[in-house]
Amino acid sequence: MTPHLHQRYPDLARTLPHVRLGTSPTPVRRLASLDTVGADIWLKDDSEFGDGGWGGNKVRKLEWLLPDALRQGRMTIVTVGGLGTNWGLATALYGREHGLKTVLALIDQPEDDHVRAQLKRLRDSGAELHFTHTKARTIASAPYLLGRNFSGFRPPYFLPAGGSSAVGALGYVEAALELAEQVRAGELPEPSHIVIPVGSGGTAAGLSLGLRLAGLSTRVVGVVVNDTLRLDESTLSKLAARSERLLRKRGARLPEHLSPTDNLDIVTEYLGPGYGYPMPEAATAQALSADREHMQLEPVYTAKAMAALLDMNAHGRFGDGPVVYLNTNGPR
């Protein structure tokens, strides 16, 4: 299937390459067992996205990032994440399928069964792992990691945590256009809000821009789950603006006075003690989602976002709704 971005802006088919890594659209359904108070809750299940060894929201970003790296003749991706990084694993697995080596700088986070299982997957993925432990040491080691991974005169393709670059965020511009098509097809009502975890910002920034392009009035509610990065509204707005400028530069004829970020709300009350630390409300949300809706969440990102949604809904924060929960989890 041709990406919605290419359908809507045909000039991008020539200037902005895309590789299909998952099957779309991802399914939507009402979570009737979870919306006993407040607005109706719907699910857009991006855990189903990804046809390879990993799924979820990172794969949508890689559909645009991998061909961009290949277009530039890069042979290695250098990126960063926590010890249990979903992003790093998805990059290693899908990059390997396309002939790209992945080098990961890993920052410490609290270790539990989830993180230990992920570390094993990372070791098995073929990625080159560097345990840099802290943000400061990761920054200090960057020149070394970049310098030793040149291919001839070509530097490696560097990506920030989560792949949240102007190109990576296009994965969720595309997802927003996909959601709009599902609304038009009557698969779900137009949502008043869509709730997501915010770990690096690319998903939130892409959605905020994509929903505006699609003509939906839906607000993006980003639940911050990472306190190691600056993830406020201003930062994510700037990322959305960079993606907008990239689309214009590559030939997309966007509306002249598009404001991609006036539909973005960032909430920080559901982080708990910090990135990767357990939170009782998240554990409850994880159990409810599994027991009532057979939906698998994990404790670092998606369970905290669901805890936020349930609490905000119980307090009437979404009005009449409906509200969509975007499940970004992706184990295979």
Side-chain angles (χ1 to χ4, degrees):
M1 177 182 171
T2 303
H4 291 283
L5 273 168
H6 287 177
Q7 293 178 42
R8 183 176 286 248
Y9 309 109
D11 287 348
L12 294 179
R14 177 178 51 84
T15 62
L16 192 66
H18 173 269
V19 60
R20 178 65 64 187
L21 301 177
T23 301
S24 60
T26 54
V28 293
R29 63 183 173 94
R30 185 180 167 199
L31 299 178
S33 297
L34 295 180
D35 62 12
T36 54
V37 296
D40 289 348
I41 301 174
W42 286 72
L43 168 69
K44 183 165 175 62
D45 196 0
D46 268 18
S47 72
E48 296 288 329
F49 194 84
D51 296 336
W54 197 253
N57 65 328
K58 312 306 181 189
V59 187
R60 285 198 186 265
K61 298 176 182 180
L62 289 167
E63 287 196 326
W64 303 92
L65 290 165
L66 294 183
D68 191 57
L70 293 169
R71 180 181 65 86
Q72 296 180 36
R74 310 298 176 91
M75 302 303 296
T76 301
I77 293 174
V78 175
T79 191
V80 61
L83 291 176
T85 173
N86 296 325
W87 158 245
L89 181 61
T91 303
L93 294 174
Y94 287 93
R96 184 175 65 188
E97 290 181 4
H98 289 80
L100 290 165
K101 174 185 174 182
T102 298
V103 176
L104 294 175
L106 298 177
I107 297 173
D108 291 345
Q109 70 179 88
E111 290 193 40
D112 56 14
D113 290 343
H114 167 74
V115 171
R116 284 185 284 272
Q118 193 74 331
L119 266 174
K120 183 180 185 307
R121 296 184 190 105
L122 286 168
R123 293 183 192 279
D124 293 342
S125 71
E128 181 181 306
L129 307 183
H130 295 265
F131 295 88
T132 49
H133 300 293
T134 67
K135 184 176 179 180
R137 288 183 61 179
T138 301
I139 294 170
S141 67
Y144 166 77
L145 294 178
L146 294 171
R148 75 190 300 265
N149 284 288
F150 268 68
S151 177
F153 292 103
R154 293 188 184 275
Y157 190 78
F158 175 75
L159 285 169
S164 291
S165 65
V167 175
L170 296 180
Y172 274 87
V173 176
E174 176 71 17
L177 298 176
E178 176 183 302
L179 176 66
E181 187 62 32
Q182 290 175 297
V183 170
R184 281 190 285 271
E187 295 180 42
L188 77 164
E190 180 175 346
S192 64
H193 300 79
I194 183 167
V195 177
I196 56 166
V198 177
S200 60
T203 300
L207 283 173
S208 73
L209 174 57
L211 290 166
R212 295 285 290 170
L213 292 175
L216 297 186
S217 58
T218 307
R219 299 195 66 79
V220 179
V221 179
V223 181
V224 174
V225 298
N226 185 358
D227 56 354
T228 69
L229 299 173
R230 183 176 175 181
L231 295 169
D232 56 20
E233 187 174 330
S234 173
T235 301
L236 301 191
S237 296
K238 289 175 182 176
L239 176 55
R242 291 201 301 274
S243 293
E244 179 192 346
R245 289 195 296 273
L246 174 67
L247 290 173
R248 292 186 190 278
K249 182 178 179 181
R250 298 292 177 91
R253 297 178 182 179
L254 307 185
E256 280 301 315
H257 302 292
L258 180 70
S259 175
T261 54
D262 64 357
N263 57 352
L264 179 62
D265 299 317
I266 299 300
V267 296
T268 58
E269 306 97 297
Y270 304 94
L271 175 65
Y275 176 67
Y277 284 91
M279 181 180 172
E281 297 87 345
T284 299
Q286 186 176 13
L288 284 172
S289 298
D291 293 344
R292 296 185 181 182
E293 291 290 353
H294 308 289
M295 179 171 53
Q296 301 304 311
L297 307 180
E298 45 68 46
V300 179
Y301 300 91
T302 51
K304 288 185 177 180
M306 178 57 81
L309 187 157
L310 294 176
D311 182 57
M312 294 172 73
N313 199 30
H315 288 86
R317 297 273 293 275
F318 303 121
D320 294 332
V323 57
V324 167
Y325 175 77
L326 182 67
N327 184 12
T328 58
N329 196 22
R332 291 286 179 266

